[in-house]
Amino acid sequence: MDTKQTSCKQCGICCTKGGAALHSTDIALINKDHILRKDLVTIRKGEFAYNPVADRVQATKAEIVKLRGTGREWTCCYYDPMSRGCTIYDNRPMACGVLKCWDPEESLSLVETDLLGRIEILGQNELLKGLIAEYERACPVPDFTSLPDAFLENPDPIIASLEDAVNRDLQFRDRVVTKSKQILEEEMFLFGRPLFQLLQPFGILVMQSGNRLLLQYKETQQGSKNEKI
Ligand code: SF4
Ligand code: SF4
């Protein structure tokens, strides 16, 4: 904490470190189309992400829906680097409004608390809620917490199982995104990031062979590519 700073300098740095997580009160922003579902990404319960309270990367205890980054960067999709400003400032999520980088206590109190999930966001949209349920049954989040110890014993069966899961995940997505433009645009919100993108921090290399992804275990440092919550 910077003890000399007492107000926001509007430098925009916080917006370049990842989009905000959504909380219950933010549902109005979605219902009024100030925030669009295509601009959201879901971190499913159990995925690894940086937890600022614990100050370490760990499995999330609840589903987190947050503003997506820009391209392959963490920078919030609603951040305008030219003006170093927020393009939805008057309708930004609650977590953005309370953020004080010089005094993070209030922001930290929101971490993994009163979060807004996919089902609440979709409201009466039974079609998309059914699709999410189908996805969760076909492609559940692996037990990432157990992976490091399991790899120490014998990585081969785990890699084989994850390889099946990675390809099942992609097949599901390929099938459903062709159903409608809306599902294609909202893929990251509806299903989160593809499983293969979550494996690299665990020392797993991903390679393509024809239509199939192949995995290879290569022990490495965990944590550098994890999402921030
Ligand atoms: S809260 Fe801090 S990091 Fe964010 S814009 Fe203000 S001064 Fe910059
Ligand atoms: S919504 Fe606005 S204030 Fe919040 S992280 Fe994005 S650009 Fe920054």
Side-chain angles (χ1 to χ4, degrees):
M1 175 169 47
D2 182 351
T3 51
K4 296 191 188 105
Q5 189 175 343
T6 56
S7 62
C8 179
K9 294 185 283 191
Q10 300 186 331
C11 65
I13 289 174
C14 51
C15 306
T16 65
K17 292 182 176 175
L22 300 185
H23 295 78
S24 293
T25 54
D26 296 321
I27 188 67
L29 301 174
I30 293 172
N31 289 341
K32 291 178 182 169
D33 289 340
H34 295 306
I35 292 175
L36 305 177
R37 295 202 305 248
K38 71 178 181 57
D39 291 331
L40 302 176
V41 59
T42 296
I43 301 174
R44 297 194 291 160
K45 182 181 175 184
E47 286 186 24
F48 266 49
Y50 175 72
N51 183 313
V53 174
D55 192 23
R56 68 187 181 96
V57 173
Q58 61 185 37
T60 52
K61 296 189 185 74
E63 174 174 306
I64 299 166
V65 177
K66 58 183 294 184
L67 302 181
R68 66 171 173 80
T70 310
R72 299 180 71 85
E73 303 297 323
W74 298 132
T75 301
C76 175
C77 63
Y78 290 119
Y79 181 65
D80 176 14
M82 296 298 284
S83 64
R84 287 196 290 185
C86 173
T87 56
I88 57 164
Y89 187 82
D90 291 337
N91 297 294
R92 66 199 190 287
M94 185 261 288
C96 304
V98 304
L99 180 66
K100 301 185 188 87
C101 64
W102 64 97
D103 182 8
E105 192 175 338
E106 188 172 1
S107 292
L108 291 178
S109 73
L110 295 176
V111 171
E112 293 197 304
T113 304
D114 196 23
L115 293 166
L116 190 58
R118 287 173 289 180
I119 299 305
E120 294 82 46
I121 290 172
L122 286 171
Q124 305 299 314
N125 194 325
E126 301 304 328
L127 180 73
L128 292 183
K129 285 197 288 189
L131 209 50
I132 289 173
E134 188 187 337
Y135 176 67
E136 293 296 331
R137 279 193 301 275
C139 309
V141 176
D143 181 4
F144 286 122
T145 307
S146 71
L147 281 187
D149 285 345
F151 280 149
L152 284 178
E153 283 187 20
N154 182 7
D156 293 346
I158 305 159
I159 288 295
S161 165
L162 284 172
E163 198 169 279
D164 280 347
V166 158
N167 286 287
R168 194 165 57 246
D169 178 77
L170 289 182
Q171 283 161 10
F172 182 97
R173 290 166 188 260
D174 282 350
R175 176 169 63 81
V176 298
V177 297
T178 57
K179 286 185 177 176
S180 82
K181 184 167 173 262
Q182 181 193 28
I183 295 173
L184 177 63
E185 287 180 345
E186 297 180 4
E187 177 189 343
M188 292 299 148
F189 160 68
L190 293 170
F191 313 123
R193 291 171 295 166
L195 177 57
F196 80 86
Q197 290 186 4
L198 310 178
L199 298 177
Q200 191 181 351
F202 297 95
I204 300 171
L205 299 179
V206 181
M207 296 151 288
Q208 182 145 16
S209 175
N211 289 335
R212 193 166 167 83
L213 291 186
L214 304 178
L215 304 185
Q216 185 184 341
Y217 179 57
K218 187 172 186 298
E219 194 175 355
T220 186
Q221 190 76 31
Q222 182 186 309
S224 60
K225 297 273 181 167
N226 283 100
E227 182 63 286
K228 184 189 79 165
I229 64 175

